[in-house]
Amino acid sequence: MATVTRENIGLLNDKITVKVSQEDYLPNFEKAVKHFSKNANIPGFRKGQVPAGMIKKMSGPAIFQDEVLKTVEKELMGYLQQEKLEIFAQPLSTDTEAKQLDYAQPAEYDFSFEVGLKPTFEVTPLNGKTSLTRYSVKVTDDMVNQELERLQLKGGKMTEPETVTSEDNVLNIEFLESDSKGNVAEGTEKKENSLLLKYFAPAVQEKLQGKKAGDTLVIQLSKAFDKERLEFIAKDLGLDANDKDAVKKYFQLTITKVGLIEKRELNEEFFKEVYPGQDITTEEAFRAKLKEEIGKYWKQEATNHLHNDLFETLVHETPIELPKEFLKRWLQKGGEKPKTAEEAEHEYPNFDHQLRWTLISDKLIRENSLEVSFEELKENARAKIMGYYGLGGEQAEWLDSYLERLLQDEKYVDQTYREMITQKLFDWAETKVNVKEEEITAEEFVKLPHKHHHHEH
């Protein structure tokens, strides 16, 4: 009779040993040999008439090993179910050497496995004592003006004036590395870029006024742009913005084209283009709509920020003990391809973070009966499609059949379900902490520190 024994070898880490004797696996081995002899196609023998001895000679070792391992696996899985052991991943075999299994001399074999046990824990941050902040970003007239100008430029028409006259001029420029006099070494690589005049430092803007296509100018990179612009210009030129010497280099600039975007007029045609089907006819109504949309955007950002704080608080402040050493060994051996101890060590922090979240979210979803019905999922998908295609109240004929097709895609349904259940979980968890409201500016919001790791959900 097979026996299964278990001993504790570390925190939430047990070793399970399965012992099997010949009476456990031999009947199955003989059965498998019979099955083979019935179905084998071997030259010189009629089908189904191959002697068992012949099968054993040819495939015995492989069939024997297969049957022994199947018996062991059945015993192990039966034991885990019977004991109701909640384990991580799969049991890891701890036998370092391959066993010598000989079908001609069946014997008693023992196989040992290591398992990591799931911990029991309480989600303590949701006991009403945790305080978090929901920020609300004040939408200013300035924000509305900037967005209005961005949309006017985006929908505007590009013209090509003779000379540079406005800070809104778009300059197509060739950069060539040179000395301070503008002498270019032979074989220097040419880099092209397109920049608004207002991106340059004031002194350089002055020098560029009145220039036209074909004109040149020598600049020192660090003095020609402010810190923020310098970073992306340096990157475009293949330089490191933090390298003091690199940004002190001189470049000869040649203007290849002067452009100017004519801003769109604020009229009904423009309002309809930006917000189709909304019946906006005046600048006042257009600005009000912009303000509302900007407000929606920041409200969503504020919710994401609160949920991110909530996520990190739950992950980092819920006391969960994990069998770390076992999990690191599992990372090494349990995947599709083996990893080195260094790789497992390097991957562990992220894995640990994700694992804690999985344990916490599974527990909260289960204990609070949170669920997403198929109807809710369908409505969510419908709203997403309508938003994406800019459909207002009117229903497009193709929408229903498109939706049907989409909902047959398992991957899409699975991903949407996960997003929605996570959203429900956060909305529920939010009611279990003290949320204080605080109004701040968009600039302050962008600079807010993120708790621990940033999490996108």
Side-chain angles (χ1 to χ4, degrees):
M1 270 298 286
T3 60
V4 182
T5 53
R6 170 170 145 222
E7 60 173 313
N8 180 259
I9 53 171
L11 170 74
L12 296 168
N13 191 189
D14 286 2
K15 180 178 169 183
I16 296 177
T17 305
V18 180
K19 253 196 180 89
V20 291
S21 57
Q22 30 203 31
E23 69 209 48
D24 298 310
Y25 59 78
L26 264 189
N28 287 340
F29 170 62
E30 296 298 349
K31 218 195 259 166
V33 169
K34 260 195 194 135
H35 179 75
F36 261 75
S37 65
K38 265 199 189 131
N39 297 298
N41 273 324
I42 296 177
F45 292 97
R46 284 167 55 196
K47 193 174 174 183
Q49 301 294 317
V50 185
M54 180 97 179
I55 294 288
K56 284 185 183 174
K57 248 199 195 111
M58 292 170 66
S59 307
I63 300 174
F64 187 70
Q65 185 179 358
D66 203 31
E67 288 308 325
V68 171
L69 295 179
K70 270 190 197 161
T71 307
V72 171
E73 189 177 351
K74 190 172 153 227
E75 292 295 335
L76 176 64
M77 291 309 161
Y79 177 81
L80 293 176
Q81 276 174 342
Q82 184 192 322
E83 296 293 307
K84 296 193 170 46
L85 285 193
E86 293 251 351
I87 66 165
F88 284 118
Q90 295 294 327
L92 273 185
S93 168
T94 55
D95 298 319
T96 44
E97 289 170 18
K99 294 221 182 309
Q100 297 305 312
L101 305 175
D102 180 3
Y103 73 89
Q105 293 177 305
E108 185 173 74
Y109 303 112
D110 58 355
F111 291 81
S112 50
F113 301 88
E114 216 189 316
V115 292
L117 304 168
K118 288 190 182 176
T120 50
F121 61 94
E122 287 310 313
V123 187
T124 49
L126 298 184
N127 57 10
K129 292 182 184 153
T130 303
S131 289
L132 295 172
T133 307
R134 180 195 287 282
Y135 295 97
S136 94
V137 173
K138 192 172 165 32
V139 181
T140 62
D141 290 344
D142 205 27
M143 284 155 88
V144 175
N145 290 337
Q146 275 180 8
E147 182 59 10
L148 186 64
E149 188 177 0
R150 190 186 71 78
L151 289 168
Q152 280 180 287
L153 286 170
K154 188 179 160 205
K157 198 166 88 231
M158 178 70 86
T159 59
E160 291 188 31
E162 275 283 295
T163 57
V164 177
T165 53
S166 145
E167 64 165 14
D168 289 328
N169 276 126
V170 182
L171 308 182
N172 287 12
I173 291 171
E174 285 177 356
F175 283 77
L176 279 168
E177 200 179 317
S178 67
D179 61 14
S180 58
K181 303 265 192 309
N183 300 311
V184 177
E186 215 174 301
T188 305
E189 197 187 341
K190 197 184 280 177
K191 295 276 169 77
E192 296 185 0
N193 214 319
S194 172
L195 301 165
L196 281 169
L197 182 70
K198 62 177 159 199
Y199 288 174
F200 289 93
V204 180
Q205 284 190 38
E206 246 173 78
K207 284 184 184 160
L208 284 166
Q209 287 285 353
K211 292 252 189 284
K212 55 187 186 302
D215 288 349
T216 62
L217 180 71
V218 177
I219 59 154
Q220 187 177 17
L221 215 52
S222 56
K223 290 185 180 159
F225 300 98
D226 65 18
K227 191 170 175 299
E228 197 183 323
R229 301 267 180 242
L230 183 62
E231 229 169 85
F232 84 79
I233 301 284
K235 196 172 163 197
D236 283 351
L237 295 171
L239 305 171
D240 176 2
N242 299 315
D243 179 344
K244 297 276 185 289
D245 293 330
V247 294
K248 281 187 178 153
K249 290 183 173 184
Y250 286 89
F251 283 85
Q252 183 201 71
L253 309 189
T254 306
I255 299 173
T256 57
K257 192 163 129 188
V258 179
L260 182 68
I261 295 175
E262 267 182 20
K263 285 184 195 168
R264 281 292 293 272
E265 270 183 59
L266 295 175
N267 54 24
E268 260 187 72
E269 182 196 0
F270 177 56
F271 305 151
K272 273 203 175 68
E273 244 171 69
V274 180
Y275 295 117
Q278 297 274 334
D279 200 30
I280 294 171
T281 54
T282 65
E283 183 184 336
E284 192 184 358
F286 185 65
R287 282 177 178 275
K289 180 69 181 167
L290 280 180
K291 189 168 186 170
E292 181 194 324
E293 290 297 318
I294 296 168
K296 266 191 209 163
Y297 167 80
W298 284 110
K299 192 174 177 189
Q300 188 54 52
E301 286 295 296
T303 297
N304 291 350
H305 190 278
L306 173 64
H307 287 178
N308 183 65
D309 281 357
L310 194 48
F311 169 88
E312 295 296 351
T313 302
L314 287 170
V315 167
H316 290 270
E317 293 172 24
T318 301
I320 301 180
E321 295 214 86
L322 291 175
K324 274 192 187 158
E325 294 315 311
F326 166 78
L327 290 169
K328 283 177 190 172
R329 284 195 291 279
W330 185 82
L331 273 179
Q332 268 182 267
K333 299 177 186 171
E336 300 221 332
K337 56 175 198 238
K339 293 184 170 78
T340 64
E342 289 72 35
E343 285 172 324
E345 195 65 45
H346 176 70
E347 282 177 27
Y348 186 74
N350 264 345
F351 174 74
D352 177 282
H353 199 236
Q354 205 44 56
L355 185 58
R356 285 170 189 275
W357 173 242
T358 304
L359 289 170
I360 293 166
S361 55
D362 283 355
K363 180 182 170 79
L364 293 175
I365 289 166
R366 189 175 62 245
E367 290 179 359
N368 297 288
S369 310
L370 301 175
E371 51 189 37
V372 172
S373 70
F374 190 69
E375 271 314 302
E376 287 175 289
L377 196 136
K378 197 171 170 176
E379 276 317 299
N380 177 289
R382 182 189 296 276
K384 265 194 195 154
I385 299 166
M386 288 174 74
Y388 183 75
Y389 288 106
L391 302 169
E394 80 277 8
Q395 284 279 14
E397 278 112 63
W398 52 266
L399 188 66
D400 283 339
S401 59
Y402 181 66
L403 195 59
E404 283 306 312
R405 274 209 312 281
L406 204 53
L407 294 175
Q408 279 161 11
D409 177 352
E410 265 177 58
K411 217 162 151 196
Y412 175 82
V413 169
D414 187 48
Q415 192 189 345
T416 307
Y417 171 80
R418 274 215 290 270
E419 280 168 15
M420 289 179 74
I421 197 78
T422 304
Q423 191 59 43
K424 272 201 178 177
L425 174 57
F426 279 121
D427 292 342
W428 172 84
E430 211 184 291
T431 65
K432 303 292 172 207
V433 294
N434 305 315
V435 179
K436 47 184 205 299
E437 305 276 339
E438 188 182 320
E439 187 173 83
I440 60 171
T441 66
E443 288 73 30
E444 288 167 331
F445 183 86
V446 173
K447 288 184 184 142
L448 286 174
H450 277 291
K451 267 185 191 292
H452 316 287
H453 314 261
H454 182 61
H455 166 70
E456 299 286 342
H457 66 265

